[in-house]
Amino acid sequence: MQPIRIIEIPGCKMVSSGAGMFGEDKIDNFAKWFSSLPRTVHSRDYLTDSYTESTDEIYEKGEFNGMLWYYEYTDGMDVPEEYEIVDFKGGLYAVATDIDQKTDVKKMKKAVNKFLKAIGFIPDKSRPELGNIITSEAAQKVLGYEQMDYYTPVKALK
């Protein structure tokens, strides 16, 4: 069994929270909004860090702006005015699952990179890493914690 999987998120429209921090209305209200929508089999929200654009030719992160939350947009969705609908590039991702707020991120990234090297992929630093909670409320009550998927953007090693 492989503990890391490769998935593809198609390019699509996403509702964006805009950059902010937990505890701020922008992020907290976004979470309340999408949490009020009907739950589907797969999580449709993706959290990432927000950075200013880098002007370097080699990808470097700019200044940290806070967190940025995306929610997959569907036609006819009632989106609050304060949130923008944006184009999401999509692509291939390596996905690892661990316990939210307990993950040894350094150890996980090492395992992901080892897996990628073995199968012919490398991280794609032109796209952001993503994460989302995959545990339903019913499962969380039994487990006592939430599981989180960590998405590393990848591309084929040439």
Side-chain angles (χ1 to χ4, degrees), residues 33-154:
W33 168 71
F34 79 73
S35 295
S36 72
L37 299 173
R39 190 166 173 88
T40 60
V41 173
H42 301 284
S43 296
R44 296 174 61 193
D45 69 294
Y46 301 92
L47 185 65
T48 188
D49 294 335
S50 174
Y51 292 91
T52 57
E53 291 290 324
S54 174
T55 56
D56 294 342
E57 287 185 23
I58 299 172
Y59 178 82
E60 290 291 329
K61 292 178 180 175
E63 184 179 330
F64 179 69
N65 289 333
M67 306 307 292
L68 179 65
W69 223 323
Y70 293 114
Y71 189 86
E72 185 183 342
Y73 175 78
T74 56
D75 287 337
M77 181 179 278
D78 186 21
V79 178
E81 280 183 24
E82 62 265 30
Y83 305 123
E84 184 178 0
I85 299 171
V86 299
D87 289 321
F88 182 80
K89 184 176 180 179
L92 296 174
Y93 291 84
V95 184
T97 304
D98 207 343
I99 299 172
D100 185 36
Q101 298 184 17
K102 303 265 188 225
T103 302
D104 182 337
V105 175
K106 193 174 188 178
K107 183 177 176 183
M108 179 191 64
K109 285 185 178 193
K110 190 175 185 177
V112 167
N113 287 332
K114 182 178 178 182
F115 173 76
L116 294 176
K117 186 176 180 180
I119 64 169
F121 285 94
I122 58 172
D124 180 357
K125 298 201 180 279
S126 71
R127 296 179 290 132
E129 295 176 346
L130 305 169
N132 61 17
I133 300 296
I134 60 171
T135 312
S136 70
E137 195 173 309
Q140 190 274 337
K141 285 179 183 175
V142 176
L143 292 170
Y145 58 83
E146 294 176 310
Q147 293 176 306
M148 183 165 174
D149 273 349
Y150 295 85
Y151 298 76
T152 301
V154 299

